[in-house]
C-alpha cells in the first residue's frame, strides 16, 4: 500500500505573487469607474483642483497591454536597475576582500553584549538619510547591511531592516524630505520645512521603538537560529548559519577597510546632494571596489570575476523592481487612481477635526498601496485634503503630516514599492516572509503615527 504524501501549502514565488497582483490591477480597471481631476498650477508646480473630480470614459487595460507594462518597467526604472546591478558587482569584490567581515567581527566580539548600542547606531544612520528624503538610493546600501546583519548574529532580514526601517523612520517624520514634505508644504502655501520640531520627535520615537524591535529579533536568533523567519528558505543572501570562520584583520584588510569607509562617506555625500543613481553613485562604488581589490592583492582578472559574480545576484531584484513599476503603470493607464482617492476623501468629509485627521491618515495609508511616489501622491491628495482641513479647522501642518505618515508606513509592505521590492530582492527574501516579519512593527508604527496626528490636532500644529 502506497503512502500518500500530505500536501502542504507553499507560498508561490515572488514573481508569481506580483503577476497575480498585476492581474487584479488589470481587472480593477474594468470594475472601478475611471475618473480624473483637472490639473492646476500652484507655486509653479502641477497639482489637481480638489473640486474638479469627474468621471471619464472607461479605459480598461487589456491583457496584452498589461503584459507589456511589466517588462516596460525596466525602461522606466533603468537607473535603479543599473544602480543595484553595478553596486552588487562592486560589493561582490569588497566582500571577497573580507575587510568588512573582519572589522565587524572584531566589533561584535568586543560588544557582543551591547546590541543596545550597535543596533541603534546602525539604524540611526539610515533614519537620518530617510529624514533627508533619501529613498531610492537607499537600495545601494543593502549589500553592505546584509554583511552587518550577519556579523551581528542575525539573518538577511536584519540587514534589510536596518535599511528599510531606518529609511521609513526618517521619511515618516519627513523633517527635511524634499520629495514629500517640501512638495506638500509648497502646495498648501507653507514655508518649506516649517514645523520640523514635531517631525524630528516623531522620527526619534519611531527609531527608538524600531531599535528595540530589531534588537529583540537578533537576540532570539542568537539563542536559536531556527527561530529565524528565513530558516530553511532557499536563495537567501548572507544568512547567518554560523558555518563561516572569522576573518583575520590583516594590514591589507585594514587598508581596504579604510578605503571602503572613505568610499562610503563619498557615497553618503553624493546621495544627499542629488548625485545620479544611474551613474555617479555606482561609479563611486566601482572605484572603491577596484581600490579595495588592489590593496588586498587581487589581480585585475580576479576583481573582474568577483564583480561579475556579484552583479549576477541582482537578476531577481531587477525583475521585481520592473514588475512593481509595471503594476503602477497598469493602474495609471486604467485611470482609476484618482477615483480611489476621491472615494476615500469622501468618507470623512463630515466628521470632527480628530476623526477627519485620522481619516486622512488612514486614506493616505491605503492610497500609498497603489501610488507610492511621494511627489505624485502629494500632488494628487494634498489639494483635496487641504480643502477638507480648511473646512474642518485643521491646520495645514497637520494635513501635511497625515500625508507624511501615510506616504511612508505602507511602503513597508506594498509590492508596488520599487524600493521595498528592490531591497528584499537584493537579499533574496521572499515577499511573504517579509510580510510575516514586518506586520507587527508596521502596526505599531501606524499606531504611533496616529498618536502624533492626534497631538497635532490637539496643539493646533502650526504655523497655520
Amino acid at each position: 500500500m502506497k503512502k500518500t504524501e500530505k500536501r502542504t501549502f507553499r507560498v508561490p514565488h515572488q514573481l508569481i505573487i506580483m503577476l497575480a497582483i498585476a492581474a487584479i490591477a488589470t481587472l480593477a480597471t474594468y470594475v472601478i469607474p475611471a475618473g480624473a481631476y483637472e490639473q492646476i498650477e500652484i507655486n509653479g508646480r502641477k497639482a489637481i483642483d480638489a473640486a474638479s473630480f469627474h468621471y471619464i470614459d472607461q479605459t480598461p487595460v487589456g491583457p496584452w497591454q498589461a503584459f507589456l507594462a511589466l517588462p516596460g518597467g525596466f525602461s522606466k526604472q533603468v537607473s535603479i536597475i543599473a544602480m543595484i546591478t553595478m553596486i552588487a558587482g562592486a560589493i561582490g569584490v569588497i566582500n571577497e576582500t573580507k575587510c568588512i567581515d573582519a572589522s565587524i567581527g572584531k566589533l561584535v566580539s568586543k560588544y557582543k553584549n551591547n546590541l543596545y548600542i550597535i543596533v541603534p547606531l546602525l539604524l540611526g544612520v539610515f533614519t537620518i538619510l530617510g529624514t533627508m528624503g533619501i529613498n531610492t538610493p537607499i537600495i545601494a546600501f543593502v549589500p553592505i547591511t546584509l554583511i552587518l546583519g550577519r556579523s551581528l548574529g542575525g539573518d538577511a532580514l536584519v540587514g534589510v531592516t536596518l535599511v528599510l526601517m531606518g529609511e521609513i523612520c526618517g521619511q515618516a517624520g519627513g523633517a527635511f524630505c524634499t520629495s514629500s514634505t517640501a512638495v506638500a508644504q509648497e502646495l498648501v502655501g507653507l514655508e518649506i520645512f516649517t514645523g520640523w520640531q514635531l517631525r524630528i520627535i516623531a522620527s526619534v520615537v519611531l527609531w527608538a521603538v524600531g531599535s528595540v524591535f530589531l534588537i529583540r529579533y537578533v537576540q532570539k536568533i542568537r539563542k536559536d537560529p531556527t527561530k529565524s523567519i528565513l530558516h530553511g528558505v532557499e536563495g537567501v543572501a548572507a544568512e547567518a548559519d554560523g558555518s563561516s570562520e572569522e576573518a583575520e584583520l590583516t594590514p591589507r584588510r585594514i587598508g581596504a577597510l579604510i578605503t571602503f569607509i572613505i568610499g562610503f562617506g563619498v557615497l553618503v555625500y553624493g546621495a544627499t546632494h542629488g548625485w545620479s543613481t544611474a551613474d555617479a553613485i555606482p561609479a563611486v562604488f566601482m572605484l572603491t571596489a577596484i581600490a579595495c581589490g588592489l590593496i588586498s592583492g587581487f589581480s585585475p582578472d580576479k576583481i573582474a570575476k568577483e564583480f561579475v559574480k556579484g552583479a549576477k545576484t541582482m537578476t531577481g531584484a531587477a525583475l521585481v523592481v520592473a514588475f512593481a513599476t509595471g503594476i503602477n503603470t497598469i493602474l495609471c493607464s486604467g485611470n482609476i487612481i484618482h477615483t480611489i482617492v476621491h472615494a476615500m476623501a469622501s468618507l470623512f468629509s463630515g466628521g470632527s477635526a480628530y476623526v477627519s485627521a485620522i481619516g486622512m491618515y488612514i486614506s493616505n495609508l491605503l492610497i500609498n498601496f497603489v501610488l507610492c511616489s511621494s511627489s505624485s501622491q502629494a500632488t494628487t491628495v494634498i489639494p483635496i485634503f487641504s480643502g477638507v482641513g480648511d473646512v474642518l479647522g485643521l491646520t495645514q501642518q497637520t494635513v501635511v503630516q497625515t500625508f507624511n505618515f501615510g506616504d511612508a508606513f505602507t511602503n513597508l509592505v506594498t509590492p508596488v514599492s520599487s524600493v521595498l521590492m528592490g531591497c528584499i530582492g537584493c537579499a533574496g527574501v521572499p515577499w511573504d516572509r517579509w510580510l510575516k516579519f514586518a506586520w507587527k512593527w508596521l502596526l505599531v508604527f501606524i499606531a504611533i503615527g496616529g498618536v502624533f496626528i492626534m497631538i497635532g490636532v490637539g496643539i493646533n500644529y502650526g504655523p497655520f
Side-chain angles (χ1 to χ4, degrees):
M1 190 175 176
K2 286 185 179 179
K3 263 190 176 179
T4 56
E5 290 185 8
K6 187 178 178 181
R7 290 189 176 184
T8 56
F9 174 74
R10 294 186 65 182
V11 176
H13 189 277
Q14 203 162 336
L15 292 182
I16 300 301
I17 293 173
M18 298 193 74
L19 282 171
I21 294 170
I24 293 170
T26 303
L27 290 173
T29 64
Y30 288 85
V31 177
I32 299 175
Y37 288 96
E38 297 294 336
Q39 283 198 333
I40 56 176
E41 194 170 288
I42 300 177
N43 298 326
R45 184 184 296 277
K46 286 185 178 180
I48 61 174
D49 181 356
S52 69
F53 179 81
H54 59 282
Y55 291 103
I56 60 176
D57 291 338
Q58 204 79 0
T59 56
V61 176
W64 177 243
Q65 188 181 356
F67 271 112
L68 289 176
L70 298 178
F74 280 99
S75 59
K76 291 187 176 182
Q77 297 288 13
V78 64
S79 62
I80 295 178
I81 293 169
M83 177 187 72
I84 62 177
T85 302
M86 299 299 286
I87 289 175
I91 290 295
V93 178
I94 295 168
N95 283 353
E96 187 62 21
T97 68
K98 305 293 183 185
C99 66
I100 298 177
D101 294 57
S103 57
I104 294 296
K106 291 287 184 185
L107 187 65
V108 171
S109 296
K110 187 174 181 180
Y111 297 104
K112 61 182 178 181
N113 297 319
N114 285 304
L115 286 176
Y116 282 92
I117 294 175
I118 297 174
V119 171
L121 282 175
L122 294 174
L123 190 66
V125 171
F126 297 101
T127 298
I128 292 169
L129 294 179
T131 299
M132 294 184 289
I134 309 302
N135 43 39
T136 299
I138 214 83
I139 302 173
F141 295 94
V142 173
I144 301 168
T145 57
L146 288 174
I147 301 171
L148 299 178
R150 182 189 63 196
S151 299
L152 291 173
D155 57 12
L157 285 171
V158 175
V160 173
T161 303
L162 285 170
V163 171
L164 272 177
M165 182 190 282
E167 191 270 334
I168 293 299
C169 289
Q171 183 190 350
F176 307 107
C177 185
T178 54
S179 60
S180 58
T181 306
V183 173
Q185 288 182 321
E186 201 173 352
L187 289 171
V188 300
L190 288 169
E191 288 188 25
I192 301 302
F193 300 139
T194 53
W196 59 268
Q197 295 89 341
L198 186 63
R199 295 189 174 99
I200 287 287
I201 294 171
S203 288
V204 169
V205 171
L206 292 168
W207 161 77
V209 172
S211 295
V212 173
F213 178 89
L214 192 53
I215 288 166
R216 291 179 64 184
Y217 182 71
V218 173
Q219 288 173 333
K220 182 172 72 172
I221 296 177
R222 280 184 170 187
K223 290 178 182 177
D224 183 1
T226 63
K227 296 293 185 181
S228 167
I229 291 174
L230 297 177
H231 181 68
V233 178
E234 296 179 359
V236 178
E239 189 171 8
D241 55 11
S243 60
S244 58
E245 295 181 5
E246 185 176 323
E248 183 184 351
L249 194 59
T250 62
R252 279 185 179 273
R253 284 178 178 148
I254 292 173
L257 177 65
I258 293 171
T259 303
F260 170 76
I261 292 172
I262 293 171
F264 185 83
V266 174
L267 174 67
V268 171
Y269 175 85
T272 56
H273 285 76
W275 287 12
S276 170
T277 58
D279 46 35
I281 290 178
V284 171
F285 259 111
M286 287 178 64
L287 288 171
T288 303
I290 292 170
C292 287
L294 293 174
I295 290 170
S296 298
F298 292 179
S299 68
D301 274 357
K302 181 171 176 59
I303 292 173
K305 286 176 182 177
E306 295 300 331
F307 185 91
V308 171
K309 189 191 297 183
K312 285 180 180 178
T313 64
M314 284 301 103
T315 303
L319 285 169
V320 296
V321 168
F323 277 30
T325 304
I327 292 169
N328 191 58
T329 300
I330 292 169
L331 294 170
C332 291
S333 298
N335 286 301
I336 62 176
I337 293 287
H338 284 187
T339 305
I340 295 170
V341 170
H342 176 70
M344 289 182 174
S346 302
L347 292 176
F348 56 87
S349 58
S352 70
Y354 286 97
V355 171
S356 295
I358 294 298
M360 290 181 187
Y361 174 39
I362 294 172
S363 295
N364 270 301
L365 288 168
L366 296 174
I367 290 167
N368 196 54
F369 272 104
V370 295
L371 189 60
C372 279
S373 167
S374 295
S375 55
S376 296
Q377 189 176 340
T379 55
T380 300
V381 303
I382 285 295
I384 301 168
F385 291 165
S386 176
V388 174
D390 285 337
V391 170
L392 296 171
L394 293 175
T395 66
Q396 293 301 305
Q397 288 286 18
T398 301
V399 171
V400 169
Q401 200 53 41
T402 63
F403 157 71
N404 273 353
F405 286 138
D407 173 54
F409 292 142
T410 43
N411 280 338
L412 287 168
V413 293
T414 174
V416 180
S417 169
S418 57
V419 175
L420 167 65
M421 302 310 284
C423 285
I424 64 175
C426 285
V429 173
W431 182 55
D432 64 297
R433 293 300 178 109
W434 173 256
L435 289 181
K436 185 178 179 181
F437 171 73
W439 73 268
K440 289 182 182 177
W441 49 274
L442 171 61
L443 292 180
V444 172
F445 275 16
I446 289 174
I448 292 171
V451 170
F452 272 94
I453 294 297
M454 301 291 273
I455 291 172
V457 176
I459 66 173
N460 240 6
Y461 186 28
F464 70 83

